[in-house]
Short mmCIF file of all heavy atoms in Angstrom, two decimals:
data_model
loop_
_atom_site.label_atom_id
_atom_site.label_comp_id
_atom_site.label_asym_id
_atom_site.label_seq_id
_atom_site.Cartn_x
_atom_site.Cartn_y
_atom_site.Cartn_z
N LEU A 1 131.62 -205.48 37.08
CA LEU A 1 131.22 -204.24 37.74
C LEU A 1 132.11 -204.13 39.00
O LEU A 1 132.60 -202.95 39.32
CB LEU A 1 129.69 -204.06 37.75
CG LEU A 1 128.87 -204.00 36.59
CD1 LEU A 1 127.45 -204.19 36.97
CD2 LEU A 1 129.20 -202.71 35.86
N ARG A 2 132.09 -205.09 39.80
CA ARG A 2 132.78 -205.04 41.09
C ARG A 2 134.28 -204.83 40.95
O ARG A 2 134.90 -204.24 41.73
CB ARG A 2 132.54 -206.33 41.96
CG ARG A 2 131.03 -206.44 42.22
CD ARG A 2 130.63 -205.44 43.22
NE ARG A 2 131.26 -205.40 44.43
CZ ARG A 2 131.29 -204.31 45.38
NH1 ARG A 2 130.72 -203.31 44.96
NH2 ARG A 2 131.94 -204.45 46.40
N SER A 3 134.82 -205.27 39.79
CA SER A 3 136.25 -205.03 39.62
C SER A 3 136.60 -203.67 39.45
O SER A 3 137.79 -203.32 39.52
CB SER A 3 136.72 -205.93 38.30
OG SER A 3 136.14 -205.47 37.19
N VAL A 4 135.67 -202.84 38.88
CA VAL A 4 135.84 -201.46 38.68
C VAL A 4 135.19 -200.61 39.82
O VAL A 4 134.98 -199.37 39.74
CB VAL A 4 135.47 -200.98 37.33
CG1 VAL A 4 136.22 -201.51 36.30
CG2 VAL A 4 133.86 -201.31 37.22
N HIS A 5 134.90 -201.36 40.98
CA HIS A 5 134.39 -200.62 42.16
C HIS A 5 133.08 -200.12 41.96
O HIS A 5 132.79 -199.04 42.48
CB HIS A 5 135.35 -199.63 42.70
CG HIS A 5 136.70 -200.22 42.81
ND1 HIS A 5 137.20 -201.18 43.84
CD2 HIS A 5 137.96 -199.99 42.28
CE1 HIS A 5 138.42 -201.46 43.77
NE2 HIS A 5 138.94 -200.74 42.87
N VAL A 6 132.18 -200.74 41.12
CA VAL A 6 130.78 -200.31 40.92
C VAL A 6 129.81 -201.23 41.45
O VAL A 6 129.92 -202.45 41.23
CB VAL A 6 130.58 -200.10 39.42
CG1 VAL A 6 129.13 -199.76 39.18
CG2 VAL A 6 131.50 -198.99 38.84
N GLN A 7 128.89 -200.81 42.30
CA GLN A 7 127.82 -201.59 42.85
C GLN A 7 126.59 -201.23 42.13
O GLN A 7 125.97 -200.21 42.18
CB GLN A 7 127.63 -201.27 44.36
CG GLN A 7 126.50 -202.01 45.01
CD GLN A 7 126.69 -203.50 45.05
OE1 GLN A 7 127.80 -204.00 45.29
NE2 GLN A 7 125.75 -204.37 44.83
N PRO A 8 126.14 -202.16 41.29
CA PRO A 8 124.93 -201.85 40.46
C PRO A 8 123.74 -201.78 41.36
O PRO A 8 123.63 -202.40 42.37
CB PRO A 8 124.76 -203.22 39.52
CG PRO A 8 125.53 -204.16 40.25
CD PRO A 8 126.57 -203.51 40.91
N SER A 9 122.75 -200.93 40.91
CA SER A 9 121.53 -200.83 41.66
C SER A 9 120.71 -202.00 41.57
O SER A 9 120.83 -202.59 40.56
CB SER A 9 120.77 -199.50 41.27
OG SER A 9 120.29 -199.62 39.87
N PHE A 10 119.78 -202.16 42.53
CA PHE A 10 118.91 -203.33 42.48
C PHE A 10 118.03 -203.47 41.10
O PHE A 10 118.02 -204.45 40.56
CB PHE A 10 117.91 -203.38 43.85
CG PHE A 10 116.97 -204.45 43.70
CD1 PHE A 10 117.31 -205.77 44.01
CD2 PHE A 10 115.67 -204.18 43.28
CE1 PHE A 10 116.33 -206.74 44.01
CE2 PHE A 10 114.71 -205.23 43.31
CZ PHE A 10 115.09 -206.48 43.75
N CYS A 11 117.45 -202.24 40.84
CA CYS A 11 116.56 -202.28 39.69
C CYS A 11 117.30 -202.41 38.34
O CYS A 11 116.78 -203.21 37.51
CB CYS A 11 115.91 -200.83 39.54
SG CYS A 11 114.60 -200.64 40.85
N VAL A 12 118.40 -201.90 38.22
CA VAL A 12 119.22 -202.10 36.98
C VAL A 12 119.68 -203.55 36.86
O VAL A 12 119.53 -204.29 35.79
CB VAL A 12 120.58 -201.26 36.95
CG1 VAL A 12 121.40 -201.60 35.82
CG2 VAL A 12 120.07 -199.80 36.81
N PHE A 13 120.12 -204.27 37.99
CA PHE A 13 120.60 -205.62 37.88
C PHE A 13 119.41 -206.59 37.52
O PHE A 13 119.54 -207.50 36.82
CB PHE A 13 121.39 -205.97 39.11
CG PHE A 13 122.25 -207.25 38.88
CD1 PHE A 13 123.31 -207.24 38.15
CD2 PHE A 13 121.80 -208.50 39.53
CE1 PHE A 13 124.12 -208.26 38.03
CE2 PHE A 13 122.69 -209.58 39.33
CZ PHE A 13 123.78 -209.56 38.51
N VAL A 14 118.30 -206.30 38.30
CA VAL A 14 117.15 -207.23 38.17
C VAL A 14 116.63 -207.07 36.62
O VAL A 14 116.27 -208.06 36.05
CB VAL A 14 116.04 -206.87 39.04
CG1 VAL A 14 114.66 -207.57 38.75
CG2 VAL A 14 116.36 -207.28 40.52
N ALA A 15 116.44 -205.78 36.17
CA ALA A 15 116.07 -205.56 34.77
C ALA A 15 117.04 -206.26 33.86
O ALA A 15 116.63 -206.92 32.80
CB ALA A 15 116.07 -204.12 34.44
N PHE A 16 118.35 -206.29 34.07
CA PHE A 16 119.34 -206.99 33.14
C PHE A 16 119.21 -208.41 33.22
O PHE A 16 119.24 -209.06 32.18
CB PHE A 16 120.72 -206.52 33.68
CG PHE A 16 121.78 -207.16 32.93
CD1 PHE A 16 122.29 -206.55 31.77
CD2 PHE A 16 122.54 -208.25 33.42
CE1 PHE A 16 123.36 -207.18 30.97
CE2 PHE A 16 123.49 -208.84 32.64
CZ PHE A 16 123.91 -208.24 31.56
N VAL A 17 118.97 -209.07 34.49
CA VAL A 17 118.93 -210.53 34.61
C VAL A 17 117.50 -210.97 33.99
O VAL A 17 117.44 -211.92 33.15
CB VAL A 17 118.99 -210.86 35.94
CG1 VAL A 17 118.73 -212.34 36.21
CG2 VAL A 17 120.36 -210.62 36.53
N LEU A 18 116.42 -210.27 34.31
CA LEU A 18 115.08 -210.67 33.92
C LEU A 18 114.93 -210.59 32.38
O LEU A 18 114.35 -211.62 31.77
CB LEU A 18 113.96 -209.82 34.54
CG LEU A 18 113.44 -210.24 35.95
CD1 LEU A 18 112.39 -209.21 36.29
CD2 LEU A 18 113.02 -211.67 35.87
N GLN A 19 115.41 -209.61 31.87
CA GLN A 19 115.25 -209.42 30.34
C GLN A 19 115.86 -210.68 29.58
O GLN A 19 115.24 -211.25 28.61
CB GLN A 19 115.81 -208.22 29.70
CG GLN A 19 115.64 -207.97 28.25
CD GLN A 19 116.26 -206.78 27.79
OE1 GLN A 19 116.91 -206.00 28.55
NE2 GLN A 19 116.21 -206.44 26.49
N ARG A 20 117.10 -211.07 30.01
CA ARG A 20 117.82 -212.13 29.29
C ARG A 20 117.28 -213.54 29.71
O ARG A 20 117.04 -214.33 28.91
CB ARG A 20 119.17 -212.00 29.61
CG ARG A 20 119.87 -210.92 28.81
CD ARG A 20 121.08 -210.27 29.53
NE ARG A 20 121.50 -209.06 28.65
CZ ARG A 20 121.04 -207.81 28.85
NH1 ARG A 20 119.89 -207.64 29.36
NH2 ARG A 20 121.47 -206.89 28.06
N SER A 21 116.92 -213.65 30.97
CA SER A 21 116.51 -214.99 31.41
C SER A 21 115.09 -215.36 30.94
O SER A 21 114.93 -216.42 30.38
CB SER A 21 116.65 -215.03 32.90
OG SER A 21 115.82 -214.12 33.59
N VAL A 22 114.14 -214.36 30.85
CA VAL A 22 112.80 -214.51 30.49
C VAL A 22 112.77 -214.73 28.98
O VAL A 22 112.17 -215.69 28.48
CB VAL A 22 111.90 -213.40 30.87
CG1 VAL A 22 110.65 -213.45 30.23
CG2 VAL A 22 111.75 -213.36 32.37
N LEU A 23 113.56 -214.06 28.21
CA LEU A 23 113.54 -214.12 26.73
C LEU A 23 114.15 -215.40 26.43
O LEU A 23 113.73 -216.26 25.57
CB LEU A 23 114.44 -212.97 26.18
CG LEU A 23 114.41 -212.93 24.65
CD1 LEU A 23 113.09 -212.92 24.01
CD2 LEU A 23 115.40 -211.91 24.16
N PHE A 24 115.33 -215.78 27.11
CA PHE A 24 115.96 -217.16 26.78
C PHE A 24 115.08 -218.30 27.14
O PHE A 24 114.96 -219.30 26.48
CB PHE A 24 117.28 -217.26 27.62
CG PHE A 24 118.25 -218.39 27.18
CD1 PHE A 24 117.99 -219.00 25.94
CD2 PHE A 24 119.09 -218.69 28.07
CE1 PHE A 24 118.93 -219.98 25.60
CE2 PHE A 24 120.09 -219.79 27.63
CZ PHE A 24 119.97 -220.43 26.45
N LEU A 25 114.32 -218.14 28.27
CA LEU A 25 113.35 -219.27 28.66
C LEU A 25 112.23 -219.43 27.72
O LEU A 25 111.78 -220.53 27.40
CB LEU A 25 112.93 -218.98 30.08
CG LEU A 25 112.02 -220.06 30.70
CD1 LEU A 25 112.70 -221.31 30.76
CD2 LEU A 25 111.53 -219.60 32.10
N ALA A 26 111.70 -218.27 27.14
CA ALA A 26 110.63 -218.36 26.13
C ALA A 26 111.12 -219.05 24.93
O ALA A 26 110.34 -219.81 24.29
CB ALA A 26 110.21 -216.95 25.86
N ILE A 27 112.36 -218.69 24.50
CA ILE A 27 112.94 -219.32 23.33
C ILE A 27 113.08 -220.84 23.50
O ILE A 27 112.81 -221.67 22.71
CB ILE A 27 114.28 -218.80 22.92
CG1 ILE A 27 114.12 -217.27 22.61
CG2 ILE A 27 115.03 -219.55 21.92
CD1 ILE A 27 115.34 -216.44 22.21
N CYS A 28 113.55 -221.22 24.68
CA CYS A 28 113.61 -222.71 25.06
C CYS A 28 112.40 -223.44 24.96
O CYS A 28 112.17 -224.52 24.50
CB CYS A 28 114.31 -222.80 26.46
SG CYS A 28 116.10 -222.50 26.59
N LEU A 29 111.28 -222.79 25.57
CA LEU A 29 109.95 -223.40 25.51
C LEU A 29 109.56 -223.57 24.12
O LEU A 29 108.96 -224.65 23.74
CB LEU A 29 109.13 -222.51 26.28
CG LEU A 29 107.55 -223.07 26.46
CD1 LEU A 29 107.58 -224.36 27.20
CD2 LEU A 29 106.70 -222.11 27.26
N PHE A 30 109.65 -222.51 23.29
CA PHE A 30 109.21 -222.65 21.92
C PHE A 30 110.03 -223.70 21.27
O PHE A 30 109.38 -224.57 20.38
CB PHE A 30 109.42 -221.28 21.17
CG PHE A 30 109.20 -221.31 19.68
CD1 PHE A 30 107.94 -221.30 19.22
CD2 PHE A 30 110.31 -221.49 18.82
CE1 PHE A 30 107.64 -221.37 17.84
CE2 PHE A 30 110.07 -221.45 17.39
CZ PHE A 30 108.72 -221.54 16.90
#
């Protein structure tokens, strides 16, 4: 995103990171 001069908003980036990390962590625990 920074390479195309885009600064992602806090909410978008947190939602992007949380969705993948929480889902991946739940799969690892299972």
Side-chain angles (χ1 to χ4, degrees):
L1 289 172
R2 295 298 295 162
S3 68
V4 292
H5 308 290
V6 173
Q7 177 65 42
S9 69
F10 174 79
C11 288
V12 169
F13 197 72
V14 168
F16 179 82
V17 173
L18 272 182
Q19 180 182 2
R20 283 146 185 84
S21 57
V22 168
L23 183 59
F24 194 17
L25 185 57
I27 292 172
C28 287
L29 181 60
F30 172 79

